[in-house]
Amino acid sequence: MKTNWLQPERFNRAGIVMCSLAILSCVFTVAAHAQAWKPTRPVAFISPSSPAGSLDLTARSIQKVWDDARTVGVPVVVINKPGAGNGIAWGYMNDRGDGHAISIGNTNLVSNAVTGAHPYTHRDVAPLALLFDDYFVLVVRADSPLKSMADVRDRLRADPGAVAAGFGPGIGSGGHTAAAVAWKAMGADVRKARWVPYKSAGDGVVAMLAGEIEMVSGTAANMPPFLAAGRVRALAVIGPQRLSGALAGVPTMKEQGFDAVFTNWRGVVGAKAMTREQVTFWENALSVVNESGAWKKELERNFWRANFMTGPKLREFLDAEAVRFRALLTELGLNK
């Protein structure tokens, strides 16, 4: 007996099967297309600070995780482009204009427009992922007469510009803002403070050792080597609690009677012209970093606190931070 595929019952059943297969095929095609892009040539990972800076440390730490896990599939090369509140690095990245250039994103994304350091904001790049928070430490030379933050306060009361403080990578950076928060907590006139920007906190420490400035506001990750060499002394952590390891003995500003806390955050951004497929690739690659055991060791070693975020949640976070930083920097007198 021949099967009549034109019979209504068989046609409906066969039609449903065929339609279902067609829909599934479309779904898999779209999903495959969304994951289709991957780098086809070496990727430039642009560090907005010099090789001695914490932003460079961040880029090279991520690069190492990728290299060890063979995540990206092509070489990832760190290129240093410091200056202009990270604007030089982000401009270079945007000039490349595709998925083969990425950079470190930090609080300058929401502070530059307020301080006038550079017009680039979080809306001029493609946010890929937030990775962690970190905190700043105030250090002086080992032979400095400043032994505590009370000593700094007394000096600033007499003259708000008496203590030259350096930081990197420029005006409006996390190091600058953290120092300003500390100055305000000590009752100093932030507008009359003597701020000296460098391309990185490491450059600032070198300048301090040469006698150009008296204090540096740098990330906790930068300081242990200088402390171990015995050439600098840490006065305070501008954070909610003491840090661990080599910095366990450094008191917070709060412990010394000053209500000063500043949380820095850091992540990775891409060129504004990145396609959705390129963004997806880098989101996935950064998720691999966040979940790796090697990265967790990096977080602990550098006093970083994991705070992973991507997609709409990250964009909402940056919008909220832009509002918060405008209010904070205006209050501190750092707005233009």
Side-chain angles (χ1 to χ4, degrees):
M1 180 178 178
K2 292 184 179 180
T3 301
N4 184 357
W5 289 100
L6 294 179
Q7 291 177 356
E9 291 180 0
R10 292 192 177 276
F11 177 79
N12 289 342
R13 191 178 302 116
I16 290 171
V17 171
M18 294 295 289
C19 288
S20 298
L21 290 174
I23 291 170
L24 286 173
S25 176
C26 290
V27 169
F28 289 134
T29 300
V30 171
H33 178 69
Q35 297 292 334
W37 187 87
K38 61 181 180 179
T40 56
R41 60 179 187 274
V43 171
F45 200 162
I46 305 150
S47 165
S49 75
S50 66
S54 61
L55 301 182
D56 181 75
L57 172 64
T58 304
R60 293 182 190 277
S61 297
I62 296 169
Q63 176 200 40
K64 186 177 187 308
V65 173
W66 279 338
D67 284 351
D68 291 347
R70 299 182 180 180
T71 303
V72 178
V74 298
V76 177
V77 182
V78 176
I79 300 173
N80 297 95
K81 295 285 183 181
N86 302 352
I88 291 176
W90 297 333
Y92 180 83
M93 175 185 68
N94 272 350
D95 287 343
R96 300 280 292 253
D98 68 3
H100 291 86
I102 56 177
S103 185
I104 299 298
N106 64 348
T107 55
N108 281 72
L109 285 170
V110 295
S111 68
N112 279 349
V114 186
T115 63
H118 200 279
Y120 272 105
T121 73
H122 65 292
R123 296 185 180 276
D124 297 304
V125 298
L128 301 176
L130 186 71
L131 289 170
F132 60 84
D133 296 332
D134 70 339
Y135 300 98
F136 288 88
V137 180
L138 296 173
V139 300
V140 294
R141 282 174 37 156
D143 60 357
S144 172
L146 299 172
K147 305 297 184 183
S148 69
M149 294 311 297
D151 292 340
V152 178
R153 175 201 58 199
D154 293 344
R155 184 86 67 83
L156 294 175
R157 277 180 174 174
D159 177 4
V163 179
F167 45 80
I171 295 294
S173 65
H176 182 200
T177 306
V181 167
W183 258 232
K184 183 176 184 296
M186 291 186 289
D189 188 339
V190 177
R191 295 174 186 270
K192 296 180 180 178
R194 189 178 169 195
W195 305 124
V196 186
Y198 292 91
K199 290 182 178 179
S200 74
D203 293 336
V205 171
V206 171
M208 182 179 71
L209 294 175
E212 295 178 16
I213 56 177
E214 197 164 5
M215 180 179 289
V216 169
S217 171
T219 60
N222 278 136
M223 296 309 159
F226 296 110
L227 293 169
R231 303 190 68 187
V232 306
R233 179 160 35 84
L235 295 185
V237 174
I238 312 173
Q241 59 190 26
R242 286 200 186 202
L243 301 174
S244 58
L247 298 176
V250 182
T252 65
M253 289 288 294
K254 280 193 170 186
E255 286 180 80
Q256 300 180 66
F258 307 108
D259 189 13
V261 175
F262 178 78
T263 301
N264 194 37
W265 44 261
R266 200 168 302 161
V268 178
V269 298
K272 185 177 182 180
M274 268 194 184
T275 66
R276 178 63 250 178
E277 291 81 6
Q278 291 167 344
V279 169
T280 297
F281 174 87
W282 288 115
E283 287 177 340
N284 291 338
L286 289 162
S287 180
V288 169
V289 171
N290 180 62
E291 294 169 4
S292 74
W295 179 248
K296 289 177 173 61
K297 291 180 180 177
E298 286 295 312
L299 293 174
E300 182 177 358
R301 176 166 39 247
N302 295 305
F303 312 98
W304 295 337
R305 186 182 69 186
N307 186 12
F308 190 71
M309 202 181 301
T310 60
K313 184 178 179 181
L314 172 57
R315 291 188 288 274
E316 290 172 7
F317 169 81
L318 292 174
D319 286 341
E321 285 292 276
V323 173
R324 187 175 76 86
F325 264 74
R326 179 168 292 280
L328 174 63
L329 294 171
T330 300
E331 180 186 1
L332 295 172
L334 301 180
N335 59 310
K336 292 294 184 180

